[in-house]
Structures are given as C-alpha cells and as structure tokens.
C-alpha cells in the first residue's frame, strides 16, 4: 500500500488511543508531474493555456487514481473491518472504526 501516505508519527508512537475514530485518508494524485505542469500553465499569464480550466470530470479522468486501484485501496481498509466512505473524486476515503483497527491497517502501509 505504498500509494497511501501515512501522515504523523509512526503507529503506536503517540498516546495510547482507544475508542472509535473517524479519519480521512487523502490519496496522492496520479500523474503528479503532469498536474504540476498543468497548474503552472493555467496560472501563467504568458502561457497560451492561461485561464483554460478543466471540468471536475476531466480532472478526475486525468489525475485521480484509476478506479481499480481506488477499489483495491478501499478493499484493503475494509479488510480490517473499517467502514469506508468513498468519494467520486477518488482522492479521499473516510474511515471509521476502532483505534485498534486503524492502527493495524496503518501498520501495513
């Protein structure tokens, strides 16, 4: 699960958490170099692409993780018993579950 970055201390390094948690996992966009170039070109007044924005659907098609990869990541978290809320942008997953479940899932990332 190298495509899902862990932000924060290493699992188990913080206070001993118990109970249920809700966390948001943000996924790295695909084609990051292309996205950075696109953003620079639409922001540069001297670029022929200046101000030529794309639709949300075009952004998802170009820069979101592919649907199969997104499903695999969601399935991974659900395999730990976590409830996963998905988003059409395929750039985020909201997880709900016990601190232990989230800790076990994050240890494998």
């Amino acid at each position: 699960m190298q495509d899902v970055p862990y932000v924060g201390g290493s699992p188990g390094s913080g206070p001993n958490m118990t109970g249920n948690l809700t966390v948001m996992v943000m996924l790295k966009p695909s084609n990051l170099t292309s996205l950075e170039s696109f953003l620079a070109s639409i922001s540069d007044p001297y670029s022929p692409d200046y101000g030529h924005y794309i639709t949300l659907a075009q952004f998802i098609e170009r820069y979101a993780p592919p649907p199969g990869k997104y499903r695999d990541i969601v399935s991974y978290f659900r395999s730990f018993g976590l409830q996963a809320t998905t988003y059409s942008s395929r750039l985020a997953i909201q997880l709900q579950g016990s601190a232990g479940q989230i800790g076990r899932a994050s240890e494998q990332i």
Side-chain angles (χ1 to χ4, degrees):
M1 298 303 309
Q2 295 176 349
D3 295 317
V4 183
Y6 180 78
V7 178
S10 62
S13 66
N16 191 8
M17 298 188 67
T18 59
N20 289 324
L21 300 174
T22 299
V23 297
M24 186 69 73
V25 175
M26 303 303 295
L27 304 178
K28 184 169 58 173
S30 298
N31 306 316
L32 191 54
T33 302
S34 173
L35 175 58
E36 289 170 345
S37 294
F38 170 72
L39 293 174
S41 71
I42 64 169
S43 302
D44 179 359
Y46 299 103
S47 168
D49 296 324
Y50 179 67
H52 294 156
Y53 305 108
I54 59 175
T55 66
L56 177 58
Q58 290 170 319
F59 181 89
I60 292 168
E61 181 181 326
R62 293 178 191 178
Y63 304 113
K69 187 175 209 173
Y70 187 71
R71 281 191 300 272
D72 290 347
I73 295 169
V74 171
S75 294
Y76 168 81
F77 286 116
R78 287 182 175 156
S79 74
F80 288 89
L82 295 166
Q83 179 183 0
T85 302
T86 59
Y87 297 89
S88 60
S89 71
R90 298 193 309 267
L91 291 169
I93 305 166
Q94 179 180 294
L95 303 173
Q96 293 180 310
S98 71
Q101 289 169 307
I102 291 172
R104 284 188 295 281
S106 65
E107 287 173 357
Q108 304 296 316
I109 297 174

